[in-house]
Amino acid sequence: MKITPKFIYSILIIYFVLNFTVIGTGLTNPTFTIVENSRDLQNYIGKGDVIIGPLGHELSFENEAFPLWYIPHSESLGKLNQNVSKYKPKFLLVCEEFNSRPTNMSESWPRLNEFPNTTFVKKIKLCPYPFTEHYKTILNLYKIEEEN
């Protein structure tokens, strides 16, 4: 096959059309929903309530929650905030899906079974795929009840 200027021109046109389509889809149907979900959490989480778990800091930008960096099962960061009971966390985020794959992310993050008195509050769906009902990340929010 001989590569002619017309062939190169055709390939470039196809390349630009495909890229504009992909970029245009992202601009017209954005899929980053963490801001909206953070605002919505103010209906469940009170001012200064401590929240722990994956994406806790990111989900606290638009509300008045207090995110606590607590990764008890990490070799390098496990000692950070190891006295978590001092801060009395009221909410726990548990990852159900991450990058569209089921997971419990229990390698490092706090586990649901470490807090025996919890109540399911809400499923948080983040980063939807365009024009579908599928999400890249799904978190479950639990309220940690105080022990009697």
Side-chain angles (χ1 to χ4, degrees), residues 12 15 17 21 25 28 32 35 38-39 41 44 61 63-65 73 78 83 88 94 99 106-107 109 125 133 144:
L12 284 173
Y15 172 80
V17 167
T21 302
T25 300
T28 59
F32 191 71
V35 173
S38 178
R39 285 186 190 130
L41 285 181
Y44 305 94
F61 287 150
N63 57 55
E64 296 181 333
H73 307 289
N83 57 344
K88 296 186 172 122
V94 176
N99 285 336
S106 62
E107 297 85 29
W109 293 99
K125 297 177 179 180
E133 294 296 320
I144 301 171

Side-chain angles (χ1 to χ4, degrees), residues 11 24 62 85-86 100 125 136 139:
I11 295 296
E62 297 291 323
S85 60
K86 171 183 170 185
S100 302
K125 297 177 179 180
K136 286 185 179 181
L139 301 170

Side-chain angles (χ1 to χ4, degrees), residues 80-134:
L80 185 66
N81 293 322
Q82 65 184 355
N83 57 344
V84 70
S85 60
K86 171 183 170 185
Y87 299 100
K88 296 186 172 122
K90 291 192 176 180
F91 291 92
L92 171 66
L93 290 165
V94 176
C95 192
E96 181 180 313
E97 278 188 30
F98 188 72
N99 285 336
S100 302
R101 295 187 190 110
T103 180
N104 60 12
M105 282 186 102
S106 62
E107 297 85 29
S108 301
W109 293 99
R111 300 172 183 144
L112 184 59
N113 63 4
E114 294 172 8
F115 300 90
N117 298 323
T118 57
T119 305
F120 177 80
V121 176
K122 178 179 177 35
K123 189 174 290 283
I124 302 169
K125 297 177 179 180
L126 301 170
C127 303
Y129 287 108
F131 313 113
T132 70
E133 294 296 320
H134 301 287

